Amino acid sequence: MQNRTILYAVINWGLGHVTRSAPLIRHLLGSGNRVVLVSHGKALAFLRKEFPGCTFRDVRDRKIDYTRFPFMFVFKIVSQLPKMCFGWGYERKKMRELEREFRPDLIISEMRLGFWSKRIPSVLITHQLRFHLPPGLRWAEIFGEWFNFLVFRKYDNIFVPDTEGKPNLSGDLSHKGRIARHPKVRYVGCLSSIVPAEDTPEKDIDLLVSISGPEPQRSRFEAKVMEQVKEAKGRIVVALGEPEFGKDRTLEAGRVRIYSHLDRNTMADVMQRAKYIVCRSGYSTVMELLALQRSALLVPTPGQTEQEYLAGYYQREGLFDSCSQDALDLKHLEINPVRQVARRNIPVNRLNDIGALLDKLCK
């Protein structure tokens, strides 16, 4: 995959989608391709810091708001359908403008469903072939599968960042139902923007708390953590996941360090130095933990059924501990210190294979 112009669009939904795109973007740039990065908000700020030499376009996307009350889930989603449709229409308009401006050879969409073309090979990256609904609403999951069947018609390939068969990391989200056998689906292995150091660093950080995810729950999680870290023991690092803000500071005479954002190399270093890690159960975060073979306490975003499913799935599989956001207590934190995440034959950053698939599409 060389000397191509690639339009890479990333959804602004926390930082998970953009961090898992980072290794693929870096690989494409290293192969001599021109990559035009399209995103918005925090995701765009992250991309500008990680890839300052790229061309950027700021195209807003429509965020989906989740409710923390399971019985309101379907109503909340249905009520936002007009907003979603308007957002996809806006993305289609911008896509046509960018197509005329850059004449790309390939389009890669990280969950930006308006970014595809009838004339240019297009790839969608997603780990959620099925939408996981709360108990009592599972009967409606088939409608989400039908929706994805319609979406997949617009793309040449669907890249799932997981392994085919078992063991796997996404569970029913990518391996259940007829859609998991869709002819366009390609399981490309996990993607992680951070890699372990050759020499394991000393564990000199007692606790790392990584705060991420969509608002307003991201800010609520931050407020709860900031209230509790003063009473928690040991040396603590808090990463706020806000690359566009400069909020770095210290508390308790330097015992607690708070960073607005940690670049990928620094985050990898801190994650390996921490004795305990507390973070969201977002899929991209889990792939990073897998790459570093680290354990963690997962705190799913309330009302985000995907994260709640994954936290329960990993708990049952014996990979991670989990608790609800309301139940989080850093002062009396208990994480299984001997539980380490083995690779379990799940490949990470199989970038040459992905490049070969993309090259085949462009020929």
Side-chain angles (χ1 to χ4, degrees):
M1 190 67 189
Q2 297 178 335
N3 303 318
R4 310 276 190 177
T5 296
I6 302 164
L7 188 70
Y8 203 121
V10 185
I11 195 169
N12 177 37
W13 189 252
L15 288 179
H17 292 279
V18 68
T19 56
R20 77 182 186 191
S21 290
L24 180 53
I25 294 170
R26 192 170 290 112
H27 178 77
L28 293 171
L29 290 170
S31 300
N33 300 289
R34 180 193 185 192
V35 182
V36 179
L37 297 173
V38 181
S39 194
H40 184 65
K42 294 180 182 179
L44 183 60
F46 174 94
L47 291 170
R48 290 187 188 277
K49 285 189 174 183
E50 291 290 321
F51 307 103
C54 284
T55 301
F56 299 91
R57 290 295 182 268
D58 188 343
V59 179
R60 71 176 185 270
D61 48 10
R62 296 287 175 174
K63 291 185 177 180
I64 305 303
D65 299 321
Y66 289 90
T67 175
R68 64 182 302 175
F69 304 108
F71 66 91
M72 292 288 293
F73 181 88
V74 172
F75 174 80
K76 187 73 172 180
I77 295 299
V78 171
S79 68
Q80 296 176 88
L81 284 176
K83 181 175 73 172
M84 287 188 279
C85 292
F86 179 82
W88 294 328
Y90 175 76
E91 288 187 353
R92 294 299 302 139
K93 175 185 175 182
K94 290 298 182 180
M95 177 66 242
R96 288 189 287 268
E97 293 176 1
L98 294 171
E99 188 175 338
R100 290 192 295 269
E101 180 180 2
F102 295 106
R103 299 184 182 277
D105 301 295
L106 174 69
I107 299 166
I108 300 178
S109 170
E110 173 60 74
M111 286 304 295
R112 296 294 295 263
L113 301 185
F115 282 86
W116 52 269
S117 174
K118 295 180 180 179
R119 296 173 292 277
I120 301 169
S122 304
V123 173
L124 176 67
I125 300 178
T126 179
H127 67 276
Q128 203 164 0
L129 304 183
R130 292 174 58 90
F131 301 102
H132 190 81
L133 300 183
L137 297 174
R138 299 285 163 75
W139 57 269
E141 289 181 356
I142 188 63
F143 296 107
E145 193 169 329
W146 290 348
F147 171 79
N148 276 341
F149 271 112
L150 293 175
V151 169
F152 290 1
R153 295 172 60 185
K154 307 299 184 182
Y155 295 91
D156 296 278
N157 272 176
I158 312 300
F159 284 1
V160 177
D162 198 1
T163 187
E164 188 172 10
K166 292 184 177 182
N168 61 70
L169 278 190
S170 56
D172 290 349
L173 300 181
S174 299
H175 297 86
K176 182 180 179 181
R178 189 161 59 96
I179 199 165
R181 301 185 297 274
H182 194 288
K184 293 183 180 180
V185 168
R186 303 286 184 272
Y187 292 92
V188 297
C190 293
L191 294 170
S192 172
S193 61
I194 56 180
V195 294
E198 292 184 5
D199 298 322
T200 303
E202 179 186 355
K203 297 288 191 297
D204 59 351
I205 298 173
D206 292 289
L207 173 64
L208 165 65
V209 184
S210 177
I211 298 173
S212 61
E215 297 291 358
Q217 291 297 341
R218 196 214 68 83
S219 292
R220 292 175 182 172
F221 188 32
E222 177 185 345
K224 189 176 187 70
V225 168
M226 298 309 298
E227 180 183 349
Q228 294 186 5
V229 291
K230 297 177 183 179
E231 297 184 0
K233 298 178 181 179
R235 184 182 178 193
I236 301 171
V237 171
V238 180
L240 298 178
E242 293 191 313
E244 72 272 42
F245 298 120
K247 291 184 178 179
D248 296 355
R249 60 192 187 276
T250 61
L251 302 174
E252 301 288 314
R255 183 180 65 83
V256 180
R257 291 178 175 265
I258 303 164
Y259 298 92
S260 62
H261 174 70
L262 295 175
D263 62 48
R264 307 321 292 160
N265 290 333
T266 305
M267 178 59 89
D269 177 62
V270 170
M271 289 177 74
Q272 291 179 97
R273 289 164 55 199
K275 296 176 183 177
Y276 299 135
I277 300 172
V278 175
C279 58
R280 290 298 196 194
S281 54
Y283 191 67
S284 298
T285 300
V286 171
M287 288 193 290
E288 293 177 352
L289 292 167
L290 172 73
L292 297 177
Q293 296 183 275
R294 293 306 314 278
S295 185
L297 176 66
L298 303 181
V299 184
T301 300
Q304 194 165 338
T305 55
E306 171 209 347
Q307 287 199 13
E308 291 172 339
Y309 164 75
L310 288 175
Y313 172 67
Y314 298 138
Q315 181 97 32
R316 293 190 299 273
E317 291 288 306
L319 291 177
F320 300 101
D321 299 307
S322 68
C323 77
S324 68
Q325 184 167 295
D326 288 340
L328 179 65
D329 184 358
L330 297 180
K331 184 178 180 180
H332 302 97
L333 183 65
E334 291 186 10
I335 300 178
N336 187 339
V338 299
R339 179 180 288 174
Q340 294 293 318
V341 181
R343 290 190 180 275
R344 307 179 78 212
N345 299 319
I346 299 176
V348 179
N349 289 348
R350 208 168 61 192
L351 297 171
N352 288 331
D353 293 343
I354 297 175
L357 288 172
L358 295 176
D359 191 48
K360 186 177 179 180
L361 279 178
C362 291
K363 289 183 179 178

